[in-house]
Amino acid sequence: MSRKPLIAGNWKMNTSIAEAEHLAQAIVRASADLQNREVMIAPPYISLAAVADILADSEVILAAQNICWAEKGAFTGEISPPMLKDIGCRMAIVGHSERRHLFGENDAMINKRISGAMEHGIIPVFCIGETLAEREADNTMKILEDQVRHGLKDISITDAGSIVIAYEPVWAIGTGKTATTKQVQEVHHFLRNLMERLYEKNIASEIRILYGGSVNATNVDELMAQPDVDGALVGGAALDAGSFERIINFQ
Ligand code: 13P
């Protein structure tokens, strides 16, 4: 079993095109000699083309922050898998908590986005996470299991292993409050077992499970040292080249 760690930067609704170019250049320089780990960045849609040019000769993976299930048609405001492939995206974030909570995306929609991405060979970074109220009511594992079961409904065993799951507790996003390493490991272990129940042992041991929620240069090493943590999905700290460089160089 060897799961290559993945450090992913989600830039959310930040950066002008010029700022995105600058940040991408710094990340390309910082990741030039990295071994045994992958780096992904998800700039805003309007910067994808400019960033794709900068990443062209590097190993850094370009990703979109969302993806539509349909190839084309009357879907105002959406971007299709072929469009994202055309511009050079190899991955797409799906089901981010901000999409779920601020824009009303539900499990059924997220499932369609995951299927659409897989059909076109784009790897989804499938985000799940419980709210603070759900955690305090001791419902974390049930909520996560429901999100995984619905999100991966009808996803074949052939596709399941290449999906990336990102566990992002809603209460830890942008709050400076990281889940404890014990909480993170406990959830990741549960998710890996769930993948074994839903698919099979090989899938469970292949699938990469990232943690997201206030990951920074100071806490990344301890998080990455957990046996079931295969990477990080980083928001705020991914916007600062120095911090992100330190994060991709986790020990
Ligand atoms: P922060 O790292 O800013 O908490 O954001 C996490 C996140 O939502 C990444 O997708």
Side-chain angles (χ1 to χ4, degrees):
M1 173 209 73
S2 72
R3 300 184 297 265
K4 206 183 232 191
L6 170 67
I7 301 292
N10 174 9
W11 296 3
K12 307 191 180 183
M13 197 173 70
N14 295 291
T15 68
S16 64
I17 296 176
E19 287 165 347
E21 287 174 331
H22 247 90
L23 189 51
Q25 278 154 356
I27 292 167
V28 166
R29 280 194 300 274
S31 39
D33 298 322
L34 284 181
Q35 310 232 313
N36 262 332
R37 57 195 63 183
E38 288 184 337
V39 175
M40 178 207 102
I41 53 177
Y45 286 124
I46 61 152
S47 296
L48 285 174
V51 171
D53 282 346
I54 292 163
L55 302 190
D57 294 323
S58 81
E59 303 282 314
V60 179
I61 298 166
L62 185 65
Q65 294 180 17
N66 207 348
I67 185 167
C68 190
W69 50 86
E71 289 189 5
K72 61 178 181 174
F75 296 89
T76 302
E78 292 284 324
I79 312 281
S80 76
M83 290 171 182
L84 293 175
K85 269 190 96 164
D86 205 13
I87 216 162
C89 288
R90 287 192 274 150
M91 302 180 103
I93 297 171
V94 178
H96 192 276
S97 83
E98 285 142 23
R99 298 303 318 170
R100 292 175 189 262
H101 296 284
L102 300 175
F103 299 97
E105 291 200 17
N106 60 31
D107 288 328
M109 242 182 245
I110 289 161
N111 173 247
K112 291 208 300 189
R113 293 186 190 280
I114 291 174
S115 302
M118 294 303 308
E119 268 168 39
H120 292 271
I122 293 181
I123 296 176
V125 177
F126 167 37
C127 303
I128 55 171
E130 82 287 2
T131 62
L132 187 58
E134 288 161 347
R135 177 162 280 270
E136 285 174 347
D138 241 349
N139 269 336
T140 300
M141 302 309 186
K142 172 168 185 335
I143 293 290
L144 296 175
E145 177 159 346
D146 282 354
Q147 290 176 349
V148 171
R149 281 182 182 275
H150 290 123
L152 298 186
K153 186 170 161 284
D154 300 330
I155 299 297
S156 72
I157 197 158
T158 346
D159 285 344
S162 56
I163 287 173
V164 174
I165 294 180
Y167 168 55
E168 298 205 307
V170 179
W171 48 273
I173 296 179
T175 56
K177 241 194 232 176
T178 330
T180 65
T181 45
K182 185 166 169 284
Q183 286 170 324
V184 174
Q185 170 55 26
E186 189 180 42
V187 166
H188 282 220
H189 188 68
F190 170 82
L191 293 171
R192 206 174 295 288
N193 282 336
L194 175 60
M195 290 305 285
E196 183 171 341
R197 279 191 276 132
L198 296 179
Y199 294 96
E200 61 175 37
K201 207 176 175 68
N202 282 348
I203 302 295
S205 58
E206 260 171 45
I207 198 157
R208 289 185 290 182
I209 308 176
L210 316 185
Y211 168 75
S214 300
V215 175
N216 58 38
T218 312
N219 59 25
V220 67
D221 295 340
E222 198 184 342
L223 286 161
M224 291 304 296
Q226 304 307 306
D228 288 299
V229 175
D230 306 310
L233 181 54
V234 187
L239 293 170
D240 177 80
S243 300
F244 196 64
E245 177 168 5
R246 173 64 187 84
I247 294 170
I248 62 179
N249 279 292
F250 70 87
Q251 303 298 303

